[in-house]
Amino acid sequence: MASISDEAVRSKTGKDWKEWFHLLDQAGAAAMTHRDIARWLAEHHEVSPWWRQSITVEYERERGLRQVYEKQDGFAASVSRTLPLPVSAVYRAWVDGKARRQWLPGAAIRVTTAAAEKSLRFSWNGGSRVVVHFYPKSETRTQVVVQHEKLPDGEAVAAMKQHWREAIGRLEANLRPSRPQS
């Protein structure tokens, strides 16, 4: 089942999913790489980049060439949460090793790229990769989006989604000021 409705895809591309899948089947897309399918859509149907990717992914899923959460280099889990904390405090809790061990114990992390208060990329326990984005929603609220990439399968996706939900919960608990008892 496509994640975007037939009506939405038709309004933006002029065709519904059945029409796109038929055209791609006729073009031999089942034997093409992801990149080749997207290129074919660009060359033969002048589809915008975002819609090329969407149509290609949905086609691959429909034809059993790609699973949900599957990317070209493995599977990816994504978790997002808005915290009632300023972006500076949330970012600091990720980049400061001592602070991070308080809410993310036992993780073998090697930071590869950091853009202060915007994003962080790191290798995770030697194999997979994590990208974290920080979006200030106000002076006291921050959305954190964790994308854990290069996972081996759908089971690992489910496990890491749960892991990151719990970890972000611990992060919030560690950073929230204690409320006085009445």
Side-chain angles (χ1 to χ4, degrees), residues 7 55-56 75 97 113 167:
E7 296 78 26
I55 293 166
T56 300
F75 289 75
T113 309

Side-chain angles (χ1 to χ4, degrees), residues 59-133:
Y59 176 80
E60 290 170 328
R61 286 180 182 162
E62 179 70 20
R63 296 302 185 253
L65 305 171
R66 178 189 293 247
Q67 296 178 42
V68 175
Y69 305 119
E70 187 176 6
K71 308 284 184 186
Q72 287 183 309
D73 60 352
F75 289 75
S78 184
V79 173
S80 174
R81 184 156 167 201
T82 299
L83 304 175
L85 300 157
V87 70
S88 59
V90 176
Y91 181 78
R92 191 170 37 256
W94 282 85
V95 296
D96 180 299
K98 184 177 177 183
R100 187 177 56 238
R101 284 187 290 280
Q102 295 293 311
W103 61 272
L104 194 60
I109 289 173
R110 186 178 59 79
V111 175
T112 57
T113 309
E117 300 183 7
K118 294 188 185 312
S119 66
L120 183 64
R121 294 175 188 271
F122 53 88
S123 64
W124 175 262
N125 294 336
S128 55
R129 176 179 59 224
V130 178
V131 180
V132 184
H133 290 278

Side-chain angles (χ1 to χ4, degrees), residues 41-61:
L41 287 167
E43 291 172 358
H44 293 88
H45 294 280
E46 299 179 5
V47 180
S48 72
W50 191 90
W51 279 103
R52 283 195 295 267
Q53 290 303 313
S54 296
I55 293 166
T56 300
V57 167
E58 290 299 339
Y59 176 80
E60 290 170 328
R61 286 180 182 162

